[in-house]
Amino acid sequence: MAAEAPCYTVVFEDTTESPSTQELRASLEKGTDEDRLDTLRRIIVSTINGNPQPTLLMPIIQYIMPSKNKQLKKLLHFYWEVCPKYDENGKLKQEMILVVNAIRNDLQHPNEYIRGATLRFLQKISKDAELLEPLIPTCRSCLEHRHSYVRKNAVFAVYTIYREYEHLIPDAPELMQTFIAAESDATCKRNAFVFLAHCAMPKAVEWLISVYDQLTSLDELLQMSIIEVIRLDCKNDTTHRPRYIRCMFELLNSSSHAVKYEAATTLTTLTQNPAAVKAAASCFVNLVVKESDNNVKLIVLDRLDTLRSKHGHILDGLTMDILQVLSSADMEVRRKAMSIVLSMTSNRNVEEVVLFLKKQLQQTQEREFEKAPEYRQLLIQSIHVLAVKFSEVAASVVHALMEFLGDSNNPSALDVVAFVREVVEKFPHLRQSICDKLTQTLTEIKSGKAFRGVLWILGEYVEDLSDIQATFQDIRKVLGEIPILASEQRLLDEVDGEEDKKEDKKAEGSGRPKVLADGTYATETAYTSTNSARLEAVKAASKPPLRALILGGDFFTGSVLASALTKLVLRFDDLTNDRPKANALRAESMLIMTSIIRVGQSKFVTVPIDEDSNERILNCIQTLSELQEKSVVHDIFLKDTKAAYSKMLVAQEKKAAEKKEAESTKENVVQVDDLLTFRQFSKKSADDPIDYVEDLGKATGAAEVREDFISNLSRISQLTGFSDPIYAEAYVKMHGFDIMLDVLLVNQTSNTLQNLCLDFATLGDLKLVERPAVYTIAPHGFQSIKATIKVSSTETGVIFGSILWDGPALAECCVILNDIHIDIMDYIKPAYCSETQFRSMWTEFEWENRVNVSTNMTDPRDYLKHVMKSTNMSCLTPEGAMSGDCDFLSANMYARSLFGEDALANLSIEKTEAGIVGHVRIRSKTQGIALSLGDRITMSQKDSKSSIYSV
């Protein structure tokens, strides 16, 4: 008997129209082939689901087995695979003798399809030695069949039998060695080689050496198997390693992409020779360029990135080759390739890389193609990184990038502004030329955000008297006639004058105005609507860009303009002794600022000026009116803002350096009582060898660290009461995307509970994978039942159910179970994103949950830590921004679920005499995660005192 019962997939069975055993028997006996197929299919499904129907075994042997229908024969193989073959004593059933005889006849059948299908079937029953033993001679004879389909299946049949019961075919390795030497079919050779690789490695190596000179001409599948054998053989000390390395070099030129990838990967595990590493990397680059599948491109780029991280400057010569990958249309592939290029760029090749990127940038402007704005933004960001990292190219790219300040794609323009701002701070010798170029491009800028960045740069870094005056002239051009309100009113009056003349001509000879039924004058109404139309026409007229933004309601840009003008006037006043010129600039700046405030309160703007902008502009006017009286304010404008930006850049560089150091430093933790292996003492001469068995163990969770007993106890949920007939409790285990329920049932009665069924149902995005079977529990007996539930999103789910069994007189008894609430915190992990990404997602996400703060904590930072701990979210706000003694705290938090869902949170709190007040705003793309996190925060606030001590 087999050592363990095989496992099959549960198939849905419609029990509403389940025929009786007699009906099934009649259908097998008298039905057509179609009826028999349908009946046999029903029997197989029933057997898989736990109802084997043993009485139908003989009718199937009697009526189905002699059939020549190929579909019936194929389905019959499925039935022999799942049907019970042993009796209660574990002995082979007598009827199986007839089955073995029929299988032997099929193995000798003249039709090669039937022979091949039967040989494949033998692989499925390889654990039943009593069935296989009489079939061995026939199976061996199939190795000499004329048709390759039979031979290739015969090889694997022999392989599976030998693997399970070596004594049935003790000479199988020698048999395969003879077979592969005489075989001409590529697939048969490959199958025989796989057999030797897993059962007789020395013989596989011996054959490999014999065909060494023909490797490049072999079939693709055989080449893949050869690579696998080389990988396995090199785990041990082998004398053939140099020959294997040459073999991998030759396979790098294979026509198959799969063979190329495996050969390049294996080559890096065999040797760290620079020539070999470079050849493997060149192969990877070639694959990325030629392969059409974007998923394959990303996989190969990941491998190339790993190779780069281990071998550093060996691959620098391939940088320009990797840049060819940017011709791909997929943005993910471009981003991955660009990140590799940026990490490989050095002083030797930076000029070539930047030149290539500038050409690509020019192409995005000259011709339109799919995702051109995104690609342009990626190129600008990459050039930004290179220019800051390598100062020698900054001068050559900064002017080229400033051409894109007027880009209609707002993110690209903002990236250019950020780049220019950083360059102008880090490279003082470029400041004058950059500022000159910026003033020339002011007329081309369309975005308010880009204007604000450029005006800030001009206010901070224009330092010469002549440059300040030139900047004023260029600002006047983009602002138009001053005062704004007076000029707009004059324009409206001119339009009114022209319209009035036309109206006068039309009004000649007309009588007095008519009074309408509601008592209004018809002429008044017409005048009002005409006036409104004239105002709209004035608003819609063509205007300089900065003036258009201010009239459109962008007063934040107006306040930045006021600040920049103030800085320029203060600096001009410090540098010059010419009081009339200084006073003229000062008066003009104050006129511009008052003009912005006045027009903001008029009918000519889309939106009235806001209080913050109004106050800020008034502060600038006050500063200019008290020019030399307050030196503190003077220093704030001219020194402190620039110092704050310098400090921010230093903090960013420090953070980037820490991140790079953390990535490069690999922490190897070895416990004192861990066993030492010889590998730890040996010098690594190659990359980590690829062990698919080990990878499979990691993927299936076999290598995971086991939780301790206390942790397991905390996950147990009581499902019934102690006074119920059945006591039930469940251990809830989260495993990736699955919830494993291990339910323990205890029969607390003195009766046997028959046909006991545990019925589960779910609420939310949970799905029951399989329905538990029916059990019988002895008096005071125990039963353990396992169930698996799939999770498809991060929402609070509920599992509920009942226990059913047959009571006295076949009456159905029932116990309702307590609900099991699934904690979403098992699926949410802290994550990090940039401030720009956070703002973009915050604007995009539509679901928001606002939770009011209710806690007896007194320190805002303690409350922030408490919320981060209870929601598994990370804080994006830098520590420096939250340092210092302040009663206000605002912080952004971010987390990501296993399902790729983003969760954003903003905490805004204030410390008052009554305690901490404020709120937490949570945003996400889906409603479930926002509500679930809000509930989590609300629940955690109920026990804030204990949280204070735990944080």
Side-chain angles (χ1 to χ4, degrees):
M1 182 178 177
E4 58 184 35
C7 176
Y8 304 107
T9 304
V10 178
V11 182
F12 173 72
E13 181 180 10
D14 188 0
T15 55
T16 56
E17 299 179 1
S18 181
S20 65
T21 304
Q22 291 301 324
E23 290 172 339
L24 291 172
R25 184 187 183 100
S27 179
L28 290 173
E29 183 178 352
K30 299 175 181 178
T32 63
D33 281 353
E34 290 298 324
D35 294 335
R36 289 176 173 179
L37 277 170
D38 185 60
T39 304
L40 191 54
R41 196 175 287 113
R42 285 175 179 271
I43 295 170
I44 291 171
V45 171
S46 174
T47 304
I48 288 175
N49 289 342
N51 184 17
Q53 300 187 5
T55 57
L56 293 175
L57 178 60
M58 202 59 208
I60 289 173
I61 293 173
Q62 189 175 356
Y63 303 115
I64 304 296
M65 208 162 62
S67 173
K68 295 182 179 180
N69 185 298
K70 291 185 175 61
Q71 284 182 298
L72 270 176
K73 280 189 176 294
K74 184 69 177 175
L75 209 55
L76 198 57
H77 288 162
F78 287 124
Y79 178 71
W80 297 140
E81 185 182 344
V82 301
C83 76
K85 305 174 188 66
Y86 299 89
D87 57 22
E88 295 175 356
N89 299 321
K91 293 183 179 179
L92 195 68
K93 291 182 178 179
Q94 295 296 323
E95 294 91 334
M96 298 311 293
I97 297 173
L98 300 173
V99 175
V100 171
N101 190 48
I103 293 172
R104 186 190 295 112
N105 292 337
D106 283 344
L107 286 174
Q108 296 172 338
H109 200 281
N111 185 299
E112 60 271 8
Y113 169 77
I114 293 177
R115 276 206 192 196
T118 309
L119 286 164
R120 293 187 67 174
F121 162 68
L122 289 186
Q123 299 171 39
K124 306 291 180 62
I125 59 167
S126 58
K127 292 185 180 294
D128 299 305
E130 292 183 59
L131 283 177
L132 292 172
E133 191 169 3
L135 303 173
I136 298 300
T138 318
C139 186
R140 290 179 65 139
S141 66
C142 288
L143 290 170
E144 301 172 3
H145 193 271
R146 57 181 176 78
H147 203 285
S148 60
Y149 179 74
V150 176
R151 296 198 303 274
K152 72 177 183 181
N153 284 303
V155 171
F156 271 162
V158 171
Y159 170 44
T160 51
I161 295 169
Y162 180 80
R163 188 178 58 193
E164 295 295 334
Y165 302 104
E166 190 175 328
H167 66 277
L168 292 180
I169 318 179
D171 61 336
E174 291 77 13
L175 185 65
M176 282 301 123
Q177 192 175 22
T178 308
F179 173 84
I180 197 173
E183 184 56 57
S184 58
D185 182 77
T187 311
C188 296
K189 275 187 177 182
R190 179 254 178 189
N191 290 3
F193 187 66
V194 169
F195 175 100
L196 293 175
H198 289 87
C199 301
M201 179 61 81
K203 295 185 184 298
V205 173
E206 183 182 338
W207 182 82
L208 173 58
I209 300 304
S210 68
V211 297
Y212 178 76
D213 297 330
Q214 309 164 24
L215 283 181
T216 52
S217 60
L218 295 177
D219 181 73
E220 174 187 348
L221 287 175
L222 191 53
Q223 288 178 340
M224 294 287 283
S225 299
I226 287 171
I227 293 172
E228 177 66 19
V229 166
I230 289 174
R231 194 180 286 135
L232 291 171
D233 193 35
C234 285
K235 283 185 179 180
N236 309 313
D237 291 331
T238 175
T239 57
H240 301 296
R241 184 180 289 268
R243 190 172 290 183
Y244 288 158
I245 293 172
R246 288 197 300 274
C247 171
M248 290 300 104
F249 265 108
E250 291 183 16
L251 290 180
L252 290 179
N253 300 317
S254 171
S255 58
S256 166
H257 287 184
V259 173
K260 277 185 177 181
Y261 176 77
E262 291 295 337
T265 306
T266 305
L267 183 60
T268 58
T269 69
L270 297 179
T271 178
Q272 278 190 331
N273 183 279
V277 172
K278 196 166 184 178
S282 299
C283 182
F284 285 142
V285 174
N286 190 30
L287 278 176
V288 178
V289 173
K290 291 185 177 179
E291 180 59 50
S292 58
D293 191 330
N294 289 328
N295 293 319
V296 175
K297 286 177 184 281
L298 290 170
I299 291 169
V300 178
L301 284 172
D302 274 331
R303 186 65 195 165
L304 188 62
D305 194 24
T306 306
L307 207 59
R308 176 206 58 77
S309 64
K310 291 184 177 180
H311 299 285
H313 295 297
I314 293 176
L315 308 184
D316 281 357
L318 299 174
T319 307
M320 298 308 295
D321 295 332
I322 299 173
L323 282 172
Q324 302 303 319
V325 180
L326 294 178
S327 60
S328 171
D330 186 74
M331 282 305 300
E332 287 301 318
V333 174
R334 284 172 170 168
R335 285 194 187 92
K336 188 68 183 174
M338 190 67 82
S339 69
I340 295 173
V341 168
L342 292 179
S343 57
M344 291 173 63
T345 306
S346 62
N347 290 320
R348 292 188 292 262
N349 57 14
V350 63
E351 292 183 0
E352 292 179 79
V353 172
V354 169
L355 183 63
F356 182 88
L357 296 182
K358 283 166 68 176
K359 288 180 180 177
Q360 290 288 306
L361 195 58
Q362 196 66 31
Q363 287 180 11
T364 63
Q365 207 171 20
E366 292 172 355
R367 57 189 180 89
E368 281 298 321
F369 50 88
E370 189 181 0
K371 296 185 178 178
E374 291 181 50
Y375 185 38
R376 188 181 306 134
Q377 188 178 358
L378 175 66
L379 290 169
I380 290 171
Q381 291 170 348
S382 305
I383 293 174
H384 177 178
V385 172
L386 292 175
V388 172
K389 188 175 179 182
F390 303 99
S391 57
E392 62 267 24
V393 297
S396 65
V397 298
V398 69
H399 292 285
L401 284 189
M402 280 194 281
E403 300 291 338
F404 294 90
L405 277 172
D407 195 349
S408 56
N409 181 33
N410 195 27
S412 297
L414 294 180
D415 286 331
V416 174
V417 170
F419 164 64
V420 173
R421 189 169 57 201
E422 191 169 349
V423 168
V424 84
E425 168 62 26
K426 289 189 172 182
F427 307 112
H429 64 282
L430 298 176
R431 286 177 184 172
Q432 186 171 356
S433 63
I434 290 175
C435 290
D436 291 344
K437 180 69 175 176
L438 283 179
T439 54
Q440 294 169 17
T441 56
L442 280 175
T443 54
E444 301 171 7
I445 301 174
K446 303 178 183 68
S447 160
K449 289 184 177 180
F451 249 121
R452 293 196 288 272
V454 170
L455 289 172
W456 185 88
I457 294 170
L458 293 175
E460 292 291 345
Y461 298 103
V462 175
E463 296 171 343
D464 294 340
L465 290 174
S466 58
D467 291 337
I468 292 174
Q469 290 177 312
T471 303
F472 260 89
Q473 289 178 359
D474 287 306
I475 289 176
R476 287 190 206 106
K477 291 179 185 176
V478 293
L479 200 55
E481 188 180 348
I482 300 296
I484 301 174
L485 179 58
S487 61
E488 292 294 312
Q489 184 63 50
R490 189 173 67 253
L491 183 61
L492 179 61
D493 293 342
E494 289 173 2
V495 174
D496 285 348
E498 293 176 5
E499 292 290 333
D500 287 343
K501 289 177 183 178
K502 294 178 182 177
E503 289 294 331
D504 289 342
K505 290 180 181 179
K506 290 180 182 178
E508 288 178 6
S510 63
R512 56 192 295 176
K514 293 181 181 179
V515 180
L516 298 178
D518 59 355
T520 58
Y521 287 101
T523 52
E524 278 188 30
T525 308
Y527 177 77
T528 306
S529 61
T530 305
N531 217 17
S532 176
R534 291 169 186 167
L535 183 60
E536 290 300 324
V538 171
K539 287 183 179 180
S542 177
K543 295 179 176 62
L546 188 53
R547 187 189 195 95
L549 286 170
I550 292 171
L551 291 174
D554 189 356
F555 292 102
F556 184 24
T557 301
S559 65
V560 174
L561 171 63
S563 177
L565 292 176
T566 304
K567 292 174 186 176
L568 291 173
V569 170
L570 291 174
R571 193 173 292 116
F572 189 88
D573 189 73
D574 287 347
L575 295 174
T576 186
N577 295 320
D578 190 345
R579 303 321 305 167
K581 280 188 179 180
N583 289 334
L585 278 183
R586 176 182 172 189
E588 185 179 357
S589 299
M590 294 174 74
L591 177 61
I592 291 173
M593 295 177 204
T594 52
S595 176
I596 293 172
I597 292 177
R598 287 201 63 201
V599 80
Q601 298 166 346
S602 71
K603 60 185 177 183
F604 292 100
V605 292
T606 311
V607 181
I609 188 169
D610 56 282
E611 291 182 13
D612 289 342
S613 299
N614 188 31
E615 186 179 351
R616 191 174 181 195
I617 295 173
L618 285 173
N619 286 337
C620 292
I621 295 173
Q622 186 179 1
T623 302
L624 291 181
S625 64
E626 303 168 352
L627 200 59
Q628 299 294 341
E629 295 179 14
K630 295 184 179 179
S631 60
V632 176
V633 179
H634 190 279
D635 290 343
I636 288 173
F637 273 101
L638 293 186
K639 297 179 182 177
D640 291 357
T641 51
K642 189 187 291 186
Y645 180 63
S646 301
K647 188 177 178 182
M648 187 185 83
L649 284 182
V650 171
Q652 287 179 351
E653 290 176 357
K654 184 179 178 183
K655 190 174 181 182
E658 288 174 355
K659 184 179 178 183
K660 186 176 180 181
E661 186 179 355
E663 289 175 353
S664 60
T665 306
K666 293 183 179 178
E667 186 179 359
N668 295 319
V669 179
V670 179
Q671 300 298 331
V672 254
D673 56 348
D674 280 355
L675 293 175
L676 296 178
T677 61
F678 289 108
R679 189 176 298 172
Q680 286 175 304
F681 295 110
S682 63
K683 180 183 176 183
K684 284 209 168 190
S685 58
D687 287 358
D688 296 333
I690 297 170
D691 191 338
Y692 288 125
V693 177
E694 184 181 340
D695 289 348
L696 183 63
K698 290 178 181 177
T700 54
E704 288 183 359
V705 178
R706 303 296 177 189
E707 292 185 347
D708 59 3
F709 183 67
I710 301 299
S711 175
N712 290 345
L713 287 179
S714 66
R715 293 178 176 271
I716 290 178
S717 302
Q718 185 176 338
L719 302 181
T720 63
F722 292 110
S723 59
D724 286 318
I726 296 179
Y727 173 74
E729 64 181 24
Y731 165 55
V732 184
K733 167 72 175 174
M734 308 294 176
H735 190 279
F737 301 109
D738 297 335
I739 299 173
M740 314 293 291
L741 292 181
D742 190 350
V743 184
L744 175 65
L745 302 181
V746 182
N747 181 1
Q748 300 194 105
T749 68
S750 55
N751 301 320
T752 300
L753 303 182
Q754 296 184 343
N755 295 328
L756 183 139
C757 176
L758 183 60
D759 193 16
F760 280 121
T762 58
L763 183 68
D765 283 342
L766 305 176
K767 184 180 178 183
L768 191 65
V769 175
E770 57 184 348
R771 192 173 298 278
V774 176
Y775 298 91
T776 299
I777 305 181
H780 305 291
F782 296 82
Q783 179 66 50
S784 179
I785 301 175
K786 290 181 172 58
T788 305
I789 293 172
K790 282 280 181 190
V791 186
S792 56
S793 74
T794 316
E795 292 189 19
T796 300
V798 181
I799 304 171
F800 51 94
S802 59
I803 302 174
L804 305 171
W805 72 92
D806 292 342
L810 297 179
E812 189 177 74
C813 299
C814 175
V815 173
I816 305 299
L817 304 178
N818 289 335
D819 297 345
I820 302 174
H821 292 266
I822 302 305
D823 189 358
I824 67 164
M825 289 303 106
D826 291 304
Y827 296 99
I828 291 182
K829 304 296 179 190
Y832 294 92
C833 66
S834 67
E835 183 184 354
T836 308
Q837 291 171 325
F838 183 90
R839 290 180 182 276
S840 174
M841 288 189 288
W842 187 268
T843 308
E844 177 189 348
F845 292 170
E846 55 186 9
W847 290 104
E848 178 172 317
N849 187 13
R850 181 184 173 117
V851 181
N852 291 324
V853 173
S854 174
T855 180
N856 52 6
M857 291 185 179
T858 55
D859 188 349
R861 290 180 186 77
D862 284 343
Y863 184 76
L864 172 63
K865 292 176 183 177
H866 171 69
V867 172
M868 288 169 58
K869 183 178 180 182
S870 60
T871 58
N872 277 359
M873 301 186 89
S874 60
C875 182
L876 300 181
T877 306
E879 186 65 33
M882 297 186 293
S883 61
D885 187 14
C886 183
D887 291 340
F888 296 92
L889 177 64
S890 179
N892 292 332
M893 293 176 286
Y894 177 59
R896 194 173 176 85
S897 74
L898 291 178
F899 309 97
E901 299 166 319
D902 297 299
L904 313 176
N906 172 259
L907 173 70
S908 298
I909 52 177
E910 178 185 0
K911 182 180 178 182
T912 64
E913 293 179 0
I916 295 177
V917 296
H919 57 264
V920 183
R921 296 167 66 194
I922 304 162
R923 284 197 183 184
S924 67
K925 191 172 284 187
T926 57
Q927 182 185 20
I929 190 169
L931 293 177
S932 301
L933 283 173
D935 293 342
R936 182 77 182 184
I937 293 173
T938 305
M939 290 172 62
S940 69
Q941 287 184 149
K942 291 179 181 178
D943 194 14
S944 353
K945 283 187 179 179
S946 60
S947 299
I948 292 174
Y949 299 117
S950 63
V951 169

